[in-house]
Amino acid sequence: MSVVPSSVSSQESVSLRFPTGFVWGAATASFQIEGATTVDGRTDSIWDEFCRRPGAVANGDTGEPGADHYRRYQADVDLMTSLGLGAYRFSVAWPRVRPDGGAVNPAGLDFYDRLVDALLAAGISPWATLYHWDLPQALEEAGGWTSRDTAYRFADYVDSVVERLGDRVAGWLTLNEPWCSAFAGYASGRHAPGVASPTAAVSAVHHLLLAHGLGMERIRAHAPGTPAGITLNLFPVAAVSPADEDAARRVDGLQNRIFLDPVLRGAYPDDVLMDLAPYGLAGLVRDGDMATIGTPVDMLGVNYYRPLLVAAPLVSPDEPSEWVGVEGVRFLPSGLPRTELGWEVSPAGLTDLLLRLRDEYPRLPLYITENGAAYPDAVGPDGQVRDTDRLAYLDGHLRAAHAALRQGVDLRGYFCWSLLDNLEWAEGYAKRFGLVHVDFETQARTVKESARWYAGVIARNGLPAA
């Protein structure tokens, strides 16, 4: 099965070529696509419980969320093959592998065995994310990420997964976007588990980072030589005016440096420790923690969606804030086009971010592990999905990535978010990020125009002239 790009000729000349061996892929997350939430021994995650709360998710109670990938994985692998993907980044569901955070569930591991084998049979490299937000609900009831013990339970879970799959997975990522887990999950409560406590959020930050370090040690034990790292959602941050620079510094500290510095430098930034002193960050650190968190990584996954233009707070917010210590901070528009989620589209911000990582942190291979956009896609009368906005978005961001490559950034790969339309967390099913349209009533898949275009980029390992 093959897909011929609709918007470019397969013979078209390439003006921007990517390095030989550049990894071209797409990404998903277990809770967003798998469905089958009550079969084969899987138990509740924090997102199952959260989705049942009235008003927590745009579409209400999701029942069995996702795109039924658990049952349809082979057909989805065939779709990946049709697009020419060289790699697929998926996440493993902790509640399948160790239900309730307890003993290993062989049926849960069997699913990922089948998925990895299907990918390899199709010539697609499996990239596994070990935690994409679906903490077992039983562990949340024991304290969740506010409890240090959860980091050690994560290490046990990593043992189980990597011991089983480590001989076949091409790349390991410990955590996806710990900022969201900590601050959206425990500060504002906008995400699962829906807790609103700045102190809890700061505790979650440290324990998530400790889990990352412990996970790295277990990956090294079971899969020596396989590249491993962490994925962070990173943002270029700028102040509106000199009066807003301290607010921008705090936002950059909470969004970017609170994770980058411990992982890549082995220490929290001094200014962040001072900013978060009222919430006890320094007191959470025990002997040996920072060495564990700073266990050398082989790569850094970068999730990029938009920049942040920061203005100082006017008043404290009426609702819980994700911005601990700088509550009420304002993010102002720059006048750029926006996606359906209201996120400004700034390809130049991706170049800036990659250059910052090159200049300010130890050099290591970088992978764009998520980049994409939500638009109001629909299947037309002719059966096609003409998502020209997404196509333009991807084109602009790939050109921005290439600009960073030309300036010496060691960028090794790009994973589009997402392969499939899915449950977009608290936004429900209405916000579509996929290269492939999913009808959530029938589970029919329709390849979008952007996917055909991306298949052409992959086939040529480059972009045509602008």
Side-chain angles (χ1 to χ4, degrees):
M1 179 168 58
S2 63
V3 171
V4 177
S6 64
S7 55
V8 290
S9 165
S10 60
Q11 303 301 315
E12 190 169 358
S13 63
V14 176
S15 63
L16 298 179
R17 190 172 298 280
F18 284 77
T20 301
F22 192 82
V23 175
W24 293 105
T28 63
S30 53
F31 185 75
Q32 292 180 277
I33 69 163
E34 283 182 359
T37 56
T38 60
V39 305
D40 293 339
R42 183 192 182 277
T43 55
D44 274 358
S45 74
I46 53 175
W47 274 95
D48 293 282
E49 194 280 333
F50 187 73
C51 286
R52 297 186 192 112
R53 299 182 189 179
V57 176
N59 297 71
D61 185 347
T62 61
E64 281 209 349
D68 199 32
H69 176 73
Y70 188 81
R71 300 179 179 92
R72 300 170 187 264
Y73 73 91
Q74 184 60 65
D76 289 339
V77 171
D78 292 342
L79 272 174
M80 298 177 215
T81 302
S82 78
L83 299 177
L85 295 184
Y88 173 54
R89 176 183 168 233
F90 62 96
S91 77
V92 178
W94 191 343
R96 289 198 194 282
V97 172
R98 282 183 173 262
D100 294 328
V104 173
N105 172 32
L109 279 173
D110 287 348
F111 168 69
Y112 297 104
D113 248 342
R114 296 192 298 272
L115 174 61
V116 166
D117 286 346
L119 290 166
L120 291 172
I124 299 168
S125 295
W127 284 59
T129 302
L130 289 156
Y131 185 70
H132 201 132
W133 308 356
D134 44 1
L135 181 72
Q137 176 62 20
L139 291 182
E140 175 58 31
E141 291 170 5
W145 289 113
T146 70
S147 169
R148 187 179 176 90
D149 185 65
T150 301
Y152 294 96
R153 301 290 72 74
F154 176 76
D156 293 341
Y157 153 69
V158 172
D159 259 336
S160 306
V161 177
V162 183
E163 185 176 20
R164 181 75 168 266
L165 305 178
D167 59 332
R168 286 160 290 156
V169 167
W172 291 100
L173 295 158
T174 54
L175 308 178
N176 179 80
E177 299 186 354
W179 183 91
C180 292
S181 297
F183 291 111
Y186 288 90
S188 70
R190 180 170 59 91
H191 281 188
V195 174
S197 164
T199 301
V202 170
S203 179
V205 166
H206 185 66
H207 297 143
L208 281 156
L209 285 169
L210 181 61
H212 155 73
L214 294 169
M216 284 295 302
E217 293 175 353
R218 303 304 174 91
I219 294 168
R220 296 274 192 255
H222 293 294
T226 303
I230 189 171
T231 280
L232 303 176
N233 54 323
L234 302 174
F235 293 73
V237 178
V240 173
S241 72
D244 305 305
E245 287 178 357
D246 188 61
R249 176 194 62 77
R250 286 172 176 259
V251 167
D252 181 59
L254 286 176
Q255 179 70 65
N256 298 321
R257 293 181 291 116
I258 196 172
F259 300 105
L260 284 168
D261 283 44
V263 171
L264 300 181
R265 293 177 174 158
Y268 288 110
D270 289 340
D271 66 314
V272 173
L273 284 170
M274 291 179 63
D275 291 341
L276 297 182
Y279 310 100
L281 177 56
L284 295 164
V285 181
R286 299 185 186 177
D287 288 346
D289 279 5
M290 301 317 297
T292 298
I293 293 169
T295 299
V297 294
D298 305 302
M299 59 183 174
L300 178 67
V302 176
N303 291 359
Y304 173 77
Y305 290 99
R306 57 184 170 133
L308 298 175
L309 183 61
V310 176
L314 289 177
V315 295
S316 295
D318 294 329
E319 297 181 351
S321 171
E322 288 157 3
W323 301 100
V324 175
V326 63
E327 291 85 354
V329 66
R330 295 170 293 149
F331 299 102
L332 301 187
S334 302
L336 296 169
R338 291 174 176 267
T339 70
E340 194 182 18
L341 278 173
W343 297 352
E344 290 195 318
V345 178
S346 177
L350 175 58
T351 307
D352 293 343
L353 174 61
L354 294 173
L355 292 176
R356 179 188 183 183
L357 293 171
R358 179 201 67 184
D359 293 342
E360 296 185 16
Y361 288 92
R363 299 284 183 98
L364 77 166
L366 303 178
Y367 292 83
I368 298 170
T369 40
E370 287 185 25
N371 176 239
Y375 290 108
D377 306 325
V379 180
D382 60 355
Q384 301 296 311
V385 180
R386 292 184 169 81
D387 57 335
T388 54
D389 285 340
R390 180 174 296 102
L391 191 159
Y393 178 101
L394 296 176
D395 180 80
H397 284 79
L398 286 174
R399 292 179 190 279
H402 196 275
L405 273 166
R406 291 199 306 270
Q407 296 176 70
V409 171
D410 187 7
L411 181 64
R412 303 281 184 93
Y414 177 92
F415 291 80
C416 181
W417 184 266
S418 175
L419 175 69
L420 303 170
D421 289 338
N422 52 48
L423 176 71
E424 183 45 37
W425 306 110
E427 299 293 337
Y429 288 109
K431 308 300 183 186
R432 295 180 177 270
F433 275 86
L435 292 167
V436 176
H437 182 280
V438 178
D439 182 320
F440 293 108
E441 292 187 4
T442 67
Q443 293 297 335
R445 270 73 161 149
T446 303
V447 173
K448 301 178 187 179
E449 184 176 5
S450 61
R452 296 189 180 94
W453 176 87
Y454 187 46
V457 172
I458 295 169
R460 293 185 304 270
N461 195 38
L463 296 160

